[in-house]
Structure formats: C-alpha cells, structure tokens
Amino acid sequence: MSVLSGKKIILGISGGIAAYKTAALVRLLIKAGAHVQVIMTPASLDFITPLTLSTLSKNPVYSKFYNEEEEGATWNNHVELGLWADLIIIAPATANTLSKMVNGNCDNLLIATYLSAKCPVYFAPAMDLDMYKHPSTIASFSALEQFGNIIIPAETGELASGLSGEGRMAEPENIIAFLEADLSGKLPLIGKKILITAGPTYESIDPIRFIGNHSSGKMGYDLAEAAANLGAEVILVSGPTSIALKNNSIQLISVISAEEMYNSCLEYFDSMDVVIAAAAVADYKPKVIARQKIKKTDESFSIELEKTKDILAALGKVKENQFLIGFALETENEIENAKLKIQKKNLDLIVLNSLQDIGAGFGKTTNKVTFIDKDFNIEPMELKLKEEVAVDILNKVITYYHA
C-alpha cells in the first residue's frame, strides 16, 4: 500500500506546457489513495481546464482568492488550505513561480497557500534548457532547498522549444515514485508491523441482547491512523463501532466477542513487532447463551457469568521480542493496580486512564493518561485530544526502536 494513502495533498499547477501532464498526476495520486486539492495559477488555465482536474480529483479546483461568479463572492481561504495539507506538490514549477516562492511575491492563490503552509513542499521544475541553467533559476533552487523545500529533479529529453536537454518536468509516474521513496525514508515506523485492538466487545445473552460497555473505539482508531501515517503496517482488530477508517492501508478485522478478538490477536501476534491493546474487552460473558429470546416473565432474572480469555495475559505469556502495550481504566488505587497488571501480563508499557480525571474515559474526544513502563517509571500527561494521545503513545514505540 502506498505511503501516499490517506495523505491530504495540494497539487499546485503553474503556467507551463507541462501542465498537460497534471491530469495523469492527479489520477495517479488518487489511485495511490491520496486526497487531492488542485490549485491553479491564472496562467495555467491556458494549458489545462479546471473541469478535467476537478473531475479526476473529485474536488473543485481553485484558481482565485474568491469566486466572482457566485452570489456572495465566496472566499477561498488560503490559510485553511495551507493548514489542511499534509504535503504540497507544485508541478509544473515554472521559473516565474519559483521566483515568487523565493521572494514571497504573493499575487495569486497558489503562492498565498504556499506561504501559509506548515507541511513539506515538493516542486517539480519545468522550463526550457537555457532557462533551467540560468543563474537566477539555479539561485531559486538553492534558496528553496534552504527553506526546506524538496526538488523533484527535472528530466532530460525533448523540450517544447524543439531543443533537447534538461528541463522536462518529471513524468507523473516518476513524481509518484520520488514522493513515495522520500516519504518512506523519513517515516520512523516504516517496516514495523503493529497490531492494535479497539472498541468494546459484545457478549451475547440471547439472539437479541448482549453484555457490552460504553467504549466508542476512538482511541484505538486514532492509534491505527497515526501508526499508518508514521509508516507502520497496521492491523486493527476492532469490536463493534460506528467509526470509519480514513487510511485504506489499515487492515481491519471486525469482531464481536472477546473470544473472536482473542483468536484474531493470537493468530497474528507472532508476526508483529508491536501490539497496542486499546480495546475495552469484556471480563465476563454468559456461561450459556439462550437460543431464543428470553421472555420477560419473572420479577427477577439472573445470568451465570464466566471469565473471558485474557488477551493481554495470553500475549504476554508467549511474547518474545514484541513491544507489548496495555491500557488500564481504573477507579481506585490506580498506580498500584496498573503496576500489578504490568507484572502479571508481562507488559512493556501501560497506559493508565482514571475515571477520576475530568475529560477521560469512554465516549470522550479527550483523554488524560499516565504512562508506566516495565521499570515502573511513571509519566503523567496533561489532558489532550485522543489524536494527540495516540501520537504520544506511538512516540514511546519510536523511542523504543530508535533509542
């Protein structure tokens, strides 16, 4: 699966004949699983139509700061666009556009978006041979690379002038290959296989009813998305949840019961580098499941329960070199109970949640956790969005492998 999968990409197109290649480039980005927003300079409109690019990208194409033809003159917010993007590709990058990027000559929406962006920026030069070799162009290349921008080298071949030499914009297939190679080399979890559990489990009482809990699955899904974005090969074993994955490189295994989750985790564990058990697995299940719906007849009703299989304990028992992370949700004696869990289940790290903390627990967009490692080092964290907590957890994994 491409490292571009799930990435939010702005493709900036400037006014050169190589703009005709951007239709193929958009198609390849979409095929790789990226979300593409095209921004065109006014000059580029002479070389390829917005209709073609909007059809291929499945998004409207922007070329002005506001849409004059619309009632109310809707503003295309360059700041929001710049902050939305995971990366920007400017292709073709003409000598004129390169100069504007260097000097901050902000006279069009693309340059304004570029100046607002916080993400990596790639540029694919395209111009005639003499222009490409001109000292001013070479100075632009050098300045942009000093800014942290990344050049996708031009190729050698026949140019629009009829001359042959260096200056052709890299072919779309080569641009994709360059991006994938560059991004892969910078991802700290590339080559790592991570299994993550998420959501609740439902333990059937009869064909209609079940025992469950209030877990939304958000913490596990945020972990899976973040791990995939950091280059990991991710398997997500999820109980019932309404959350949809954004990154289609993640392998989703949907389960219902604790038994199903146990079997899936044991099946894949041997081939994993890291397991993060974020699911809220039921501790008990009905000993007998009624085949028919239980009728409401008596004033009281009792169900005999038995323990479910302990997934973390089973993984800890057969663990070899895997980095094993568990979660603990406690209401009292939090630290002591978490330490016991580390020892009993052979964990490398535990993520402790306390229901005593405001903003933590099930059904929240935030979480407040404390990290405790196998040496009982304790690191309390501030209340954060679960997406940010996911990054903190994965930073522990990165530190483990890159220390």
PDB file of all heavy atoms in Angstrom, residues 150-172:
ATOM      1  N   ILE A 150      11.664  20.623  -1.256  1.00  0.00           N
ATOM      2  CA  ILE A 150      12.338  19.459  -1.838  1.00  0.00           C
ATOM      3  C   ILE A 150      12.137  19.467  -3.351  1.00  0.00           C
ATOM      4  O   ILE A 150      10.992  19.488  -3.828  1.00  0.00           O
ATOM      5  CB  ILE A 150      11.775  18.153  -1.241  1.00  0.00           C
ATOM      6  CG1 ILE A 150      11.941  18.179   0.282  1.00  0.00           C
ATOM      7  CG2 ILE A 150      12.469  16.937  -1.833  1.00  0.00           C
ATOM      8  CD1 ILE A 150      10.935  17.342   1.021  1.00  0.00           C
ATOM      9  N   ILE A 151      13.231  19.461  -4.080  1.00  0.00           N
ATOM     10  CA  ILE A 151      13.154  19.491  -5.544  1.00  0.00           C
ATOM     11  C   ILE A 151      12.986  18.076  -6.091  1.00  0.00           C
ATOM     12  O   ILE A 151      13.645  17.135  -5.643  1.00  0.00           O
ATOM     13  CB  ILE A 151      14.409  20.173  -6.142  1.00  0.00           C
ATOM     14  CG1 ILE A 151      14.246  20.349  -7.653  1.00  0.00           C
ATOM     15  CG2 ILE A 151      15.671  19.412  -5.801  1.00  0.00           C
ATOM     16  CD1 ILE A 151      15.336  21.216  -8.293  1.00  0.00           C
ATOM     17  N   ILE A 152      12.069  17.939  -7.031  1.00  0.00           N
ATOM     18  CA  ILE A 152      11.925  16.708  -7.808  1.00  0.00           C
ATOM     19  C   ILE A 152      12.647  16.973  -9.120  1.00  0.00           C
ATOM     20  O   ILE A 152      12.148  17.726  -9.964  1.00  0.00           O
ATOM     21  CB  ILE A 152      10.447  16.359  -8.049  1.00  0.00           C
ATOM     22  CG1 ILE A 152       9.709  16.216  -6.707  1.00  0.00           C
ATOM     23  CG2 ILE A 152      10.317  15.078  -8.869  1.00  0.00           C
ATOM     24  CD1 ILE A 152       8.212  16.011  -6.844  1.00  0.00           C
ATOM     25  N   PRO A 153      13.827  16.438  -9.303  1.00  0.00           N
ATOM     26  CA  PRO A 153      14.689  16.854 -10.421  1.00  0.00           C
ATOM     27  C   PRO A 153      13.999  16.741 -11.781  1.00  0.00           C
ATOM     28  O   PRO A 153      13.243  15.796 -12.047  1.00  0.00           O
ATOM     29  CB  PRO A 153      15.880  15.895 -10.330  1.00  0.00           C
ATOM     30  CG  PRO A 153      15.902  15.459  -8.901  1.00  0.00           C
ATOM     31  CD  PRO A 153      14.459  15.394  -8.481  1.00  0.00           C
ATOM     32  N   ALA A 154      14.293  17.732 -12.613  1.00  0.00           N
ATOM     33  CA  ALA A 154      13.796  17.681 -13.989  1.00  0.00           C
ATOM     34  C   ALA A 154      14.515  16.581 -14.749  1.00  0.00           C
ATOM     35  O   ALA A 154      15.600  16.141 -14.378  1.00  0.00           O
ATOM     36  CB  ALA A 154      13.999  19.035 -14.662  1.00  0.00           C
ATOM     37  N   GLU A 155      13.886  16.158 -15.843  1.00  0.00           N
ATOM     38  CA  GLU A 155      14.448  15.088 -16.652  1.00  0.00           C
ATOM     39  C   GLU A 155      15.010  15.648 -17.957  1.00  0.00           C
ATOM     40  O   GLU A 155      14.750  16.799 -18.324  1.00  0.00           O
ATOM     41  CB  GLU A 155      13.370  14.035 -16.921  1.00  0.00           C
ATOM     42  CG  GLU A 155      12.862  13.397 -15.627  1.00  0.00           C
ATOM     43  CD  GLU A 155      11.734  12.394 -15.853  1.00  0.00           C
ATOM     44  OE1 GLU A 155      11.292  12.222 -17.014  1.00  0.00           O
ATOM     45  OE2 GLU A 155      11.296  11.788 -14.858  1.00  0.00           O
ATOM     46  N   THR A 156      15.765  14.844 -18.625  1.00  0.00           N
ATOM     47  CA  THR A 156      16.386  15.237 -19.889  1.00  0.00           C
ATOM     48  C   THR A 156      15.608  14.632 -21.053  1.00  0.00           C
ATOM     49  O   THR A 156      15.212  13.467 -21.012  1.00  0.00           O
ATOM     50  CB  THR A 156      17.854  14.758 -19.938  1.00  0.00           C
ATOM     51  OG1 THR A 156      18.564  15.357 -18.865  1.00  0.00           O
ATOM     52  CG2 THR A 156      18.510  15.129 -21.255  1.00  0.00           C
ATOM     53  N   GLY A 157      15.378  15.453 -22.062  1.00  0.00           N
ATOM     54  CA  GLY A 157      14.646  14.959 -23.220  1.00  0.00           C
ATOM     55  C   GLY A 157      14.250  16.097 -24.139  1.00  0.00           C
ATOM     56  O   GLY A 157      14.756  17.224 -24.015  1.00  0.00           O
ATOM     57  N   GLU A 158      13.336  15.834 -25.047  1.00  0.00           N
ATOM     58  CA  GLU A 158      12.885  16.858 -25.986  1.00  0.00           C
ATOM     59  C   GLU A 158      12.036  17.885 -25.257  1.00  0.00           C
ATOM     60  O   GLU A 158      11.143  17.545 -24.468  1.00  0.00           O
ATOM     61  CB  GLU A 158      12.081  16.216 -27.120  1.00  0.00           C
ATOM     62  CG  GLU A 158      11.694  17.208 -28.203  1.00  0.00           C
ATOM     63  CD  GLU A 158      10.951  16.558 -29.356  1.00  0.00           C
ATOM     64  OE1 GLU A 158      10.908  15.300 -29.405  1.00  0.00           O
ATOM     65  OE2 GLU A 158      10.410  17.297 -30.198  1.00  0.00           O
ATOM     66  N   LEU A 159      12.306  19.163 -25.521  1.00  0.00           N
ATOM     67  CA  LEU A 159      11.607  20.269 -24.873  1.00  0.00           C
ATOM     68  C   LEU A 159      10.635  20.925 -25.846  1.00  0.00           C
ATOM     69  O   LEU A 159      10.679  20.688 -27.058  1.00  0.00           O
ATOM     70  CB  LEU A 159      12.629  21.280 -24.358  1.00  0.00           C
ATOM     71  CG  LEU A 159      13.692  20.705 -23.397  1.00  0.00           C
ATOM     72  CD1 LEU A 159      14.786  21.718 -23.144  1.00  0.00           C
ATOM     73  CD2 LEU A 159      13.046  20.258 -22.094  1.00  0.00           C
ATOM     74  N   ALA A 160       9.755  21.761 -25.301  1.00  0.00           N
ATOM     75  CA  ALA A 160       8.729  22.388 -26.129  1.00  0.00           C
ATOM     76  C   ALA A 160       9.342  23.256 -27.229  1.00  0.00           C
ATOM     77  O   ALA A 160       8.747  23.432 -28.303  1.00  0.00           O
ATOM     78  CB  ALA A 160       7.798  23.220 -25.246  1.00  0.00           C
ATOM     79  N   SER A 161      10.532  23.792 -26.991  1.00  0.00           N
ATOM     80  CA  SER A 161      11.196  24.654 -27.983  1.00  0.00           C
ATOM     81  C   SER A 161      11.723  23.867 -29.167  1.00  0.00           C
ATOM     82  O   SER A 161      12.095  24.441 -30.190  1.00  0.00           O
ATOM     83  CB  SER A 161      12.357  25.384 -27.313  1.00  0.00           C
ATOM     84  OG  SER A 161      13.348  24.443 -26.900  1.00  0.00           O
ATOM     85  N   GLY A 162      11.784  22.554 -29.033  1.00  0.00           N
ATOM     86  CA  GLY A 162      12.389  21.716 -30.053  1.00  0.00           C
ATOM     87  C   GLY A 162      13.806  21.306 -29.702  1.00  0.00           C
ATOM     88  O   GLY A 162      14.377  20.406 -30.329  1.00  0.00           O
ATOM     89  N   LEU A 163      14.383  21.988 -28.683  1.00  0.00           N
ATOM     90  CA  LEU A 163      15.707  21.610 -28.213  1.00  0.00           C
ATOM     91  C   LEU A 163      15.609  20.334 -27.382  1.00  0.00           C
ATOM     92  O   LEU A 163      14.523  19.939 -26.953  1.00  0.00           O
ATOM     93  CB  LEU A 163      16.313  22.737 -27.371  1.00  0.00           C
ATOM     94  CG  LEU A 163      16.553  24.076 -28.081  1.00  0.00           C
ATOM     95  CD1 LEU A 163      17.023  25.121 -27.074  1.00  0.00           C
ATOM     96  CD2 LEU A 163      17.571  23.915 -29.210  1.00  0.00           C
ATOM     97  N   SER A 164      16.723  19.740 -27.131  1.00  0.00           N
ATOM     98  CA  SER A 164      16.762  18.552 -26.288  1.00  0.00           C
ATOM     99  C   SER A 164      17.760  18.791 -25.169  1.00  0.00           C
ATOM    100  O   SER A 164      18.886  19.242 -25.414  1.00  0.00           O
ATOM    101  CB  SER A 164      17.169  17.317 -27.102  1.00  0.00           C
ATOM    102  OG  SER A 164      17.140  16.159 -26.285  1.00  0.00           O
ATOM    103  N   GLY A 165      17.343  18.527 -23.956  1.00  0.00           N
ATOM    104  CA  GLY A 165      18.225  18.736 -22.818  1.00  0.00           C
ATOM    105  C   GLY A 165      17.462  18.664 -21.507  1.00  0.00           C
ATOM    106  O   GLY A 165      16.322  18.179 -21.454  1.00  0.00           O
ATOM    107  N   GLU A 166      18.090  19.181 -20.445  1.00  0.00           N
ATOM    108  CA  GLU A 166      17.495  19.108 -19.103  1.00  0.00           C
ATOM    109  C   GLU A 166      16.470  20.222 -18.934  1.00  0.00           C
ATOM    110  O   GLU A 166      16.683  21.355 -19.384  1.00  0.00           O
ATOM    111  CB  GLU A 166      18.599  19.252 -18.050  1.00  0.00           C
ATOM    112  CG  GLU A 166      18.167  18.855 -16.654  1.00  0.00           C
ATOM    113  CD  GLU A 166      19.338  18.858 -15.683  1.00  0.00           C
ATOM    114  OE1 GLU A 166      20.416  19.373 -16.044  1.00  0.00           O
ATOM    115  OE2 GLU A 166      19.171  18.334 -14.566  1.00  0.00           O
ATOM    116  N   GLY A 167      15.359  19.903 -18.306  1.00  0.00           N
ATOM    117  CA  GLY A 167      14.320  20.905 -18.072  1.00  0.00           C
ATOM    118  C   GLY A 167      12.911  20.357 -18.156  1.00  0.00           C
ATOM    119  O   GLY A 167      11.951  21.018 -17.755  1.00  0.00           O
ATOM    120  N   ARG A 168      12.766  19.125 -18.706  1.00  0.00           N
ATOM    121  CA  ARG A 168      11.442  18.498 -18.770  1.00  0.00           C
ATOM    122  C   ARG A 168      10.936  18.187 -17.360  1.00  0.00           C
ATOM    123  O   ARG A 168      11.689  17.652 -16.535  1.00  0.00           O
ATOM    124  CB  ARG A 168      11.505  17.176 -19.539  1.00  0.00           C
ATOM    125  CG  ARG A 168      11.617  17.296 -21.036  1.00  0.00           C
ATOM    126  CD  ARG A 168      11.873  15.932 -21.650  1.00  0.00           C
ATOM    127  NE  ARG A 168      10.813  14.991 -21.345  1.00  0.00           N
ATOM    128  CZ  ARG A 168       9.837  14.651 -22.197  1.00  0.00           C
ATOM    129  NH1 ARG A 168       9.801  15.190 -23.391  1.00  0.00           N
ATOM    130  NH2 ARG A 168       8.941  13.767 -21.858  1.00  0.00           N
ATOM    131  N   MET A 169       9.690  18.507 -17.090  1.00  0.00           N
ATOM    132  CA  MET A 169       9.124  18.102 -15.808  1.00  0.00           C
ATOM    133  C   MET A 169       9.156  16.583 -15.701  1.00  0.00           C
ATOM    134  O   MET A 169       8.881  15.872 -16.684  1.00  0.00           O
ATOM    135  CB  MET A 169       7.681  18.591 -15.663  1.00  0.00           C
ATOM    136  CG  MET A 169       7.093  18.330 -14.280  1.00  0.00           C
ATOM    137  SD  MET A 169       5.372  18.880 -14.099  1.00  0.00           S
ATOM    138  CE  MET A 169       4.479  17.422 -14.649  1.00  0.00           C
ATOM    139  N   ALA A 170       9.494  16.080 -14.539  1.00  0.00           N
ATOM    140  CA  ALA A 170       9.500  14.638 -14.316  1.00  0.00           C
ATOM    141  C   ALA A 170       8.153  14.045 -14.697  1.00  0.00           C
ATOM    142  O   ALA A 170       7.099  14.657 -14.476  1.00  0.00           O
ATOM    143  CB  ALA A 170       9.816  14.340 -12.850  1.00  0.00           C
ATOM    144  N   GLU A 171       8.178  12.870 -15.300  1.00  0.00           N
ATOM    145  CA  GLU A 171       6.935  12.210 -15.686  1.00  0.00           C
ATOM    146  C   GLU A 171       6.112  11.892 -14.441  1.00  0.00           C
ATOM    147  O   GLU A 171       6.668  11.643 -13.355  1.00  0.00           O
ATOM    148  CB  GLU A 171       7.238  10.928 -16.456  1.00  0.00           C
ATOM    149  CG  GLU A 171       7.895  11.152 -17.801  1.00  0.00           C
ATOM    150  CD  GLU A 171       7.035  12.012 -18.731  1.00  0.00           C
ATOM    151  OE1 GLU A 171       5.824  11.760 -18.819  1.00  0.00           O
ATOM    152  OE2 GLU A 171       7.587  12.942 -19.345  1.00  0.00           O
ATOM    153  N   PRO A 172       4.776  11.896 -14.552  1.00  0.00           N
ATOM    154  CA  PRO A 172       3.916  11.649 -13.379  1.00  0.00           C
ATOM    155  C   PRO A 172       4.285  10.390 -12.603  1.00  0.00           C
ATOM    156  O   PRO A 172       4.306  10.395 -11.364  1.00  0.00           O
ATOM    157  CB  PRO A 172       2.522  11.550 -13.998  1.00  0.00           C
ATOM    158  CG  PRO A 172       2.593  12.438 -15.199  1.00  0.00           C
ATOM    159  CD  PRO A 172       3.983  12.252 -15.746  1.00  0.00           C
TER     160      PRO A 172
END
